[in-house]
Amino acid sequence: MRYLTVALAKGRLAARAMEMFEQIGISCEEMKDKDSRKLIFANEELGIRFFLAKATDVPTYVEYGAADIGIAGRDTILEEGRKLYEVMDLGIGRCRMCVCGPESAGERLKHHELIRVATKYPNIARDYFHNRKYQTAEIIRLNGSIELAPIVGLSEVIVDIVETGSTLRENGLTVLEEICPLSARMVVNQVSMKTEHERITKIIRALERTGEK
Ligand code: PRP
């Protein structure tokens, strides 16, 4: 039997996704060793293997078929814009993609003035400002601690993930507009969806059933 390969976004999401796989009888004991530097883990009996990748690389592995299935946040999937099927909302890692900034920046958003936007998600930000708001925006790409940008004057607003809202609050910022809700999604390679249809749909159905409980 050919291995079914699953790419998981490294970190909290991978741990929670593995718990869900365990609940449907797909476990991978090897993966639980926290000290291990191993990157790929197999359940020989079930012919399934998992690997951990940087979140932004998960859609790439899936589009090229190096992984049949991927688990990643909707933020990453939207940002990467890869050709793949999004088949399931795992209902974990719920948060929101938002335009945030100091209260005073709200006016700038209303009047469609040129605005500078710092973000780790340039494609999502560009699409939102150009195609949904018809506002000219200069998108400035950053790699982390995005909340700093409006505080030190790099940009007027940011586009970023808001979960509890505490990072914003502690830095005197607020949600100005909501772009979309986010959560972890399962994505599938377009060819695998045909060639491995039975095995993949069996997993999806089982995961859906545990979600309903
Ligand atoms: C994310 C996000 C926000 C924060 C939101 O950052 O970019 O900064 O979490 O969470 P909260 O609403 O619960 O405060 P992350 O910790 O991933 O690090 P980063 O700043 O390097 O992006």
Side-chain angles (χ1 to χ4, degrees):
M1 184 167 47
R2 174 186 172 270
Y3 272 117
L4 201 61
T5 305
V6 184
L8 301 165
K10 245 194 283 200
R12 231 174 350 153
L13 209 60
R16 295 186 64 186
M18 279 316 291
E19 283 171 20
M20 293 181 73
F21 277 103
E22 277 210 351
Q23 281 172 11
I24 62 163
I26 302 174
S27 60
C28 205
E29 288 307 312
E30 270 189 306
M31 247 177 130
K32 292 181 183 162
D33 179 4
K34 295 263 183 297
D35 299 326
S36 172
R37 301 285 295 163
K38 225 176 137 174
L39 295 170
I40 186 151
F41 309 89
N43 179 322
E44 306 288 348
E45 210 179 308
L46 298 174
I48 188 161
R49 58 181 187 173
F50 295 88
F51 69 81
L52 299 170
K54 199 174 155 70
T56 48
D57 294 338
V58 168
T60 312
Y61 284 107
V62 176
E63 180 183 293
Y64 284 91
D68 302 286
I69 295 174
I71 308 283
R74 185 176 180 226
D75 52 325
T76 309
I77 296 162
L78 288 174
E79 181 61 26
E80 293 301 309
R82 294 275 172 186
K83 283 198 213 80
L84 28 83
Y85 295 131
E86 190 184 309
V87 295
M88 189 187 172
D89 182 349
L90 294 179
I92 55 176
R94 287 195 190 283
C95 50
R96 301 178 291 158
M97 185 64 74
C98 297
V99 181
C100 312
E103 208 77 64
S104 58
E107 279 304 300
R108 261 194 122 79
L109 287 170
K110 274 194 213 118
H111 298 134
H112 292 255
E113 292 170 56
L114 171 68
I115 196 162
R116 285 175 306 167
V117 184
T119 186
K120 216 164 34 172
Y121 302 92
N123 293 327
I124 295 176
R126 201 171 295 112
D127 178 64
Y128 181 71
F129 279 94
H130 294 177
N131 302 331
R132 279 170 64 187
K133 278 182 67 79
Y134 306 111
Q135 180 164 11
T136 314
E138 184 179 345
I139 312 290
I140 305 167
R141 200 211 148 102
L142 288 179
N143 296 300
S145 303
I146 317 298
E147 291 82 358
L148 270 174
I151 300 171
V152 298
L154 177 65
S155 68
E156 282 84 38
V157 294
I158 61 173
V159 163
D160 202 12
I161 290 172
V162 179
E163 193 179 352
T164 61
S166 58
T167 312
L168 292 178
R169 267 192 306 277
E170 284 178 35
N171 291 289
L173 305 173
T174 185
V175 170
L176 299 168
E177 288 174 0
E178 185 173 325
I179 300 179
C180 63
L182 303 169
S183 59
R185 304 293 160 104
M186 181 187 286
V187 290
V188 175
N189 171 270
Q190 295 187 337
V191 175
S192 306
M193 198 63 208
K194 295 189 183 75
T195 55
E196 297 289 345
H197 190 262
E198 208 181 310
R199 291 168 83 192
I200 294 172
T201 38
K202 212 170 139 193
I203 293 172
I204 298 168
R205 297 287 167 265
L207 287 171
E208 280 171 350
R209 276 195 298 274
T210 58
E212 285 160 10
K213 276 180 204 158

